[in-house]
Every structure is written in C-alpha cells, then in structure tokens.
Amino acid sequence: MADAEGGNQTSVTEFILLGFEILPELQIFLFLLFLILYIATVAANILIIVLIVAVRQLHTPMYFFLGNLSCLDTCYTCTLLPKMLTSFLTGEKTISFSGCFIQFFFSCMVLATECCLLSVMSYDRYLAISKPLHYTALMSDTFCLNLAAVSWITGFIVVSIVDLFLLRLTFCGPNQVDHFFCEYVALIKLSCSDTYEIEFVVFSLGCMFLFPPFLLTLMSYVFIITTILRIPSTTGRQKAFSTCSSHIIVVTIFYGTLATVYMCPQTKPLRALSKIFSLSYTVLTPLANPLIYSLRNKEVKAAVKKVVSVFMNWKRIEPFLNSISG
C-alpha cells in the first residue's frame, strides 16, 4: 500500500480487534454463551417477523414498525456477533481493512435507522392514545410505508456520508482497535491525519438527522403522559399506558445505554467500562426487544398460540393426507 503521504491512501491493510482482556480458559465459555445469545436473538426476531406477516390480527401500524425493528435487530446481530464468536473460538482477532469499514457501515446504519424508527413508533403510540377516533385514517398503509422508508433511507444516507469521510482518513499505524467491533470512536483514534473535519460532519449530521428523532420521541411521550393523566378512570389510564409501556422500556434501554457509552469521558478505565456497556445495545437489546414486546403483549402471545395450534393440527392431519395421496 501507499504511504501516509498519499492523502486518502493507507498503509494499514488490517485491524486487530482487541476486544476484552479475559483469561484464555474463559474463551470457550464465552463462545458458548454468545452463541446461545446469537441463536436466541436471531430466532426471536425472525419469529416476530413471521408472526407479523402470517397473522392477520397483527397487520396494524404498531406491528408493522415492530417488524421493521426486528429486521434491524437481526441485521445488527448478524453484523457483529459472528466475528466475535470467531474471535472467542479461534483467538483470531484480525479483520481486513475493507471488512472493518463494511462492519462499521452496517452497524452504524442500523443504529441510525433505529433512532428514526423508534421516534416513528412513539409518534404512532401518540396518535393511538391521543387521537383514537382518527388513528386509522391518520396511520394509513401508505403513510406507514413512507415513515418506515424514510427511517431506512435516513440511516443509509447519514452513515454513507460518515463512511466516505472516514475512508478519506489516513491509517498508518497502530492498527489495534480498542473494542470488540469496528466502532467510530476507536477508529478515529487510530487515524494519522486531522480528524476535525469528520468530527464536525458527524456532529452536524447528528444535529440534523439523529437529534430531531430523539426530540420527537421525547415530545411524543410528554404528550402521551399528559393525555393518560387526563383520563378520569384508573382502568382507562392503565389500559392506555399498557399500549405504550413496551415501547417506553425499549426506548429507555436503547438511549440509556447509548448515552452511557458515548457521553462518558474517554479515559482508559471508563473506556473499558464503556465496552461492557456496549454489549447492552449490541447484544442484549436486540434480544430484549422481541421478548419485551411478546411477554408484555397479549396480541403477540395470542398470535404465537394460534401459529402453534395450526402447526400442531397440521402435524395431526399430515399422516392422513399422506396416506390418501399414497
């Protein structure tokens, strides 16, 4: 490769993901633990997607957006965990230069898209609680598709711009990424060139495209809580709150862990702690989302029972159908 004077050239051909400093004897245990989490996360989110597609009762705006959230969580898990599992199993921590930036692109795109999608879901809950008589007309199928499309496109555009500026940086060594995946702050620290431009771009994009969704989410729940408090009966308040309680939990976990990771000072002890907190939104949140929505939601539990019932009935009549066809 060309030397550092080449501007957008780089002398680094691969990065080393340092991950966590753990004892060698824990490698297999962690591999099995994260393998179970990986399988459970993918299975749970795919189950949610299948239920939403297959069960007519779930063909509503809220579940349409939940299906998009499950798609994002599945993509996020499949982007990060396979490399982590390989590292635990083989001890191989290197990742190619292009592989690192591809991982960065998809992981950040999912995060940016999820910020927008959570704000859309909060707006959906606001309309369902504050304007129930007009909810069906306001949240039409076309409008829901447009909101979901805008979320995905916004995430793609924002991260594409950041990725282009990141690729313009010079990486001439060292190549040790102080994280378990190719994360923005860890990569910036490895650049040999001036990072003021990309930091300004990231700050500007965050203010234009990511802060407004967070503000919309916050405002939606201010109006939701105000509306709920105005409901005269206790039963009515509980019923209204139950329609958005799952989403409140998801939003709190998502933004709470992100704030903990990226707003803490980047000192060495806190940096090690931030990597542990990063596991929350990279590993635990994608698994927690479908569990929170399914365990606290009667419609999802009813849909699971319906699908299981259909499957069991099919298993009973399948031998009979085979005997007839034979």
Side-chain angles (χ1 to χ4, degrees), residues 112-134:
T113 304
E114 190 160 338
C115 286
C116 298
L117 188 64
L118 289 176
S119 69
V120 168
M121 294 174 74
S122 65
Y123 178 68
D124 169 72
R125 292 299 83 206
Y126 160 71
L127 291 180
I129 293 174
S130 301
K131 302 181 184 295
L133 298 179
H134 305 285

Side-chain angles (χ1 to χ4, degrees), residues 19-21 178-181 183 189 256-282 284:
F20 300 98
E21 296 180 2
D178 188 18
H179 220 291
F180 57 86
F181 69 102
E183 186 253 359
K189 289 185 175 181
T257 53
L258 280 181
T260 302
V261 170
Y262 289 105
M263 295 184 69
C264 287
Q266 295 297 315
T267 60
K268 189 172 182 179
L270 291 178
R271 184 64 182 163
L273 188 62
S274 72
K275 286 193 287 186
I276 297 175
F277 278 110
S278 295
L279 288 173
S280 179
Y281 71 85
T282 58
L284 298 181

Side-chain angles (χ1 to χ4, degrees), residues 271-321:
R271 184 64 182 163
L273 188 62
S274 72
K275 286 193 287 186
I276 297 175
F277 278 110
S278 295
L279 288 173
S280 179
Y281 71 85
T282 58
V283 178
L284 298 181
T285 301
L287 175 61
N289 286 349
L291 295 179
I292 290 170
Y293 278 103
S294 60
L295 293 177
R296 297 178 59 85
N297 197 294
K298 294 180 181 179
E299 288 86 355
V300 174
K301 288 189 283 188
V304 172
K305 292 179 181 178
K306 183 175 181 179
V307 171
V308 170
S309 176
V310 170
F311 178 76
M312 294 301 294
N313 289 334
W314 169 252
K315 295 297 287 185
R316 291 172 184 169
I317 67 173
E318 186 179 17
F320 174 72
L321 294 176

Side-chain angles (χ1 to χ4, degrees), residues 111-287:
L111 282 180
T113 304
E114 190 160 338
C115 286
C116 298
L117 188 64
L118 289 176
S119 69
V120 168
M121 294 174 74
S122 65
Y123 178 68
D124 169 72
R125 292 299 83 206
Y126 160 71
L127 291 180
I129 293 174
S130 301
K131 302 181 184 295
L133 298 179
H134 305 285
Y135 175 73
T136 303
L138 292 172
M139 295 299 290
S140 63
D141 292 343
T142 302
F143 187 54
C144 290
L145 284 171
N146 289 338
L147 289 175
V150 168
S151 298
W152 284 86
I153 292 171
T154 300
F156 177 81
I157 292 175
V158 168
V159 179
S160 295
I161 295 172
V162 174
D163 211 31
L164 287 175
F165 276 88
L166 196 60
L167 285 169
R168 293 175 58 186
L169 297 178
T170 301
F171 294 90
C172 52
N175 66 339
Q176 296 181 332
V177 180
D178 188 18
H179 220 291
F180 57 86
F181 69 102
C182 292
E183 186 253 359
Y184 168 74
V185 175
L187 287 175
I188 286 293
K189 289 185 175 181
L190 299 181
S191 175
C192 303
S193 53
D194 185 10
T195 59
Y196 172 79
E197 186 179 54
I198 186 172
E199 289 174 357
F200 177 77
V201 168
V202 169
F203 177 78
S204 300
L205 290 173
C207 291
M208 289 188 293
F209 295 102
L210 300 183
F211 181 71
F214 170 74
L215 193 60
L216 176 61
T217 302
L218 195 61
M219 290 176 61
S220 295
Y221 276 106
V222 169
F223 288 123
I224 287 172
I225 293 172
T226 303
T227 302
I228 291 176
L229 292 177
R230 290 175 181 171
I231 299 175
S233 66
T234 303
T235 304
R237 287 196 297 269
Q238 291 176 344
K239 185 177 180 180
F241 183 75
S242 67
T243 64
C244 62
S245 58
S246 297
H247 187 252
I248 291 176
I249 295 172
V250 170
V251 168
T252 302
I253 294 173
F254 180 75
Y255 281 111
T257 53
L258 280 181
T260 302
V261 170
Y262 289 105
M263 295 184 69
C264 287
Q266 295 297 315
T267 60
K268 189 172 182 179
L270 291 178
R271 184 64 182 163
L273 188 62
S274 72
K275 286 193 287 186
I276 297 175
F277 278 110
S278 295
L279 288 173
S280 179
Y281 71 85
T282 58
V283 178
L284 298 181
T285 301
L287 175 61

Side-chain angles (χ1 to χ4, degrees), residues 1 10-17 83 92-101 171-177 182 187 190:
M1 300 296 288
T10 177
S11 60
V12 172
T13 59
E14 64 182 16
F15 291 101
I16 299 174
L17 300 175
K83 180 59 185 176
E92 178 60 48
K93 296 186 176 183
T94 60
I95 183 172
S96 67
F97 184 86
S98 58
C100 185
F101 280 87
F171 294 90
C172 52
N175 66 339
Q176 296 181 332
V177 180
C182 292
L187 287 175
L190 299 181

